[in-house]
């Protein structure tokens, strides 16, 4: 018996016998020929797989195109359009304007109150105002990490609403300090006010990304937040100074109470 063996590139061994029959043996690395679909349905199966692949590719291109179009649209829209079309962001900015304006309005009024209580002693005035500045900054060192924990573990909306309600009571305490004619009470109230602000700030900063839908809008929202902070610092301190000078410190605190309510 004449037997010839030839190894093909696919590890297929062909054994030819004298009767002319051919046996095909596939390696264990390949699927058995018996598992292949029938020859009459094989072209149809291949065509279905090709169509499915083309459909998946078209869907992927459509998704990429949609993302690109939304990103381009977000980059093209102005700050005004962002505020006009995003109601949650607009309400957030309004609440931030009210709270930040009140902080600087009462801060300048508290400086005027200290000056009025110390009279003509310029040296004592400078020292007392320096202490007020230190008392206003220390809470940010102490309470900001705790505010970050609240922002991560609690509902930011509840935290911000609760702190806004507490900050609305601060001008009332300034009136108590005014009628008591006590600088110590002014320091205590200033510490409480800025403690509330230091706990509030992490929740406020982390709340902005939840109000927008894409990165381009987020950049504009963060920029708007910075603009509001700078603008209210300038306007609040300026109006606080004018009100204290022309209407008196007590009128300044009463105005702030009405503003916060």
């Amino acid at each position: 018996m004449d037997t010839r063996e030839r190894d093909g590139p696919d590890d297929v061994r062909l054994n030819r016998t004298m009767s002319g029959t051919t046996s095909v043996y596939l390696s264990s690395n390949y699927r058995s020929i018996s598992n292949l679909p029938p020859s009459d349905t094989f072209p149809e199966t291949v065509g279905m797989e090709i169509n499915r692949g083309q459909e998946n590719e078209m869907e992927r291109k459509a998704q990429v195109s949609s993302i690109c179009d939304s990103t381009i649209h977000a980059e093209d829209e102005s700050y005004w359009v962002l505020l006009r079309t995003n109601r949650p962001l607009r309400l957030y900015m309004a609440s931030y304007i009210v709270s930040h304006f009140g902080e600087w309005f009462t801060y300048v009024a508290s400086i005027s109150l200290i000056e009025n209580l110390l009279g003509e002693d310029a040296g004592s005035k400078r020292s007392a105002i320096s202490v007020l500045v230190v008392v206003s900054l220390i809470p940010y060192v102490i309470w900001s990490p705790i505010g970050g924990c609240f922002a991560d573990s609690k509902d930011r909306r509840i935290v911000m609403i609760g702190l806004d309600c507490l900050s609305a009571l601060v001008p009332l305490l300034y009136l108590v300090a005014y009628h008591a004619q006590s600088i110590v009470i002014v320091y205590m109230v200033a510490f409480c006010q800025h403690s509330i602000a230091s706990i509030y700030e992490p929740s406020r900063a982390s709340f902005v990304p939840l109000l927008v839908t894409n990165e381009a809008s987020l950049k504009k929202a963060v920029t708007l937040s910075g603009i509001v902070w700078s603008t209210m610092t300038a306007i609040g301190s300026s109006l606080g100074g004018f009100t204290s000078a022309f209407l008196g410190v007590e009128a300044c605190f009463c105005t702030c109470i009405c503003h916060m309510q």
Side-chain angles (χ1 to χ4, degrees):
M1 179 183 298
D2 183 14
T3 302
R4 295 181 182 180
E5 295 182 358
R6 179 170 58 86
D7 293 337
D10 295 328
D11 196 15
V12 179
R13 186 177 296 109
L14 300 178
N15 296 332
R16 295 185 179 277
T17 61
M18 291 181 64
S19 61
T21 60
T22 302
S23 300
V24 181
Y25 302 93
L26 294 178
S27 170
S28 61
N29 296 329
Y30 295 94
R31 190 173 56 176
S32 174
I33 292 179
S34 61
N35 294 329
L36 293 175
S39 58
D40 55 343
T41 62
F42 185 73
E44 181 180 354
T45 304
V46 174
M48 293 175 61
E49 293 294 334
I50 293 175
N51 292 335
R52 189 177 296 111
Q54 291 177 349
E55 291 176 357
N56 293 336
E57 183 67 17
M58 292 176 63
E59 291 178 359
R60 187 186 66 82
K61 290 182 178 179
Q63 292 175 356
V64 172
S65 177
S66 176
I67 294 173
C68 293
D69 291 342
S70 61
T71 303
I72 293 173
H73 177 70
E75 291 177 350
D76 291 340
E77 68 179 1
S78 63
Y79 293 98
W80 171 249
V81 172
L82 177 61
L83 285 175
R84 184 169 55 84
T85 57
N86 193 327
R87 184 173 181 271
L89 181 63
R90 188 167 62 251
L91 294 176
Y92 160 79
M93 289 296 176
S95 66
Y96 187 44
I97 287 172
V98 172
S99 62
H100 196 61
F101 175 87
E103 289 177 11
W104 282 95
F105 195 84
T106 54
Y107 180 72
V108 175
S110 63
I111 294 176
S112 300
L113 176 59
I114 291 175
E115 291 179 342
N116 294 339
L117 294 177
L118 292 177
E120 300 297 330
D121 190 353
S124 298
K125 286 182 181 180
R126 287 192 293 267
S127 299
I129 293 174
S130 299
V131 173
L132 178 64
V133 173
V134 173
V135 168
S136 301
L137 294 177
I138 286 178
Y140 291 93
V141 179
I142 299 174
W143 302 116
S144 291
I146 297 177
C149 294
F150 282 152
D152 293 335
S153 60
K154 306 295 182 181
D155 189 340
R156 297 181 181 93
R157 295 172 300 176
I158 297 177
V159 172
M160 294 170 67
I161 292 173
L163 293 175
D164 282 333
C165 294
L166 288 177
S167 64
L169 302 176
V170 171
L172 294 174
L173 300 178
Y174 275 118
L175 279 178
V176 173
Y178 173 79
H179 289 289
Q181 297 291 295
S182 173
I183 296 179
V184 176
I185 297 179
V186 173
Y187 291 154
M188 294 173 62
V189 176
F191 184 84
C192 292
Q193 180 183 27
H194 291 278
S195 295
I196 294 173
S198 63
I199 299 174
Y200 181 91
E201 185 62 24
S203 296
R204 182 203 67 79
S206 60
F207 194 71
V208 176
L210 303 178
L211 303 176
V212 294
T213 57
N214 52 65
E215 186 177 356
S217 297
L218 176 59
K219 293 178 181 178
K220 289 182 172 61
V222 172
T223 303
L224 283 173
S225 182
I227 293 173
V228 168
W229 186 92
S230 303
T231 304
M232 289 302 103
T233 300
I235 296 177
S237 57
S238 300
L239 292 181
F242 282 118
T243 306
S244 299
F246 293 103
L247 299 178
V249 176
E250 185 178 11
C252 186
F253 291 136
C254 292
T255 302
C256 188
I257 292 173
C258 297
H259 165 75
M260 296 300 290
Q261 298 301 325

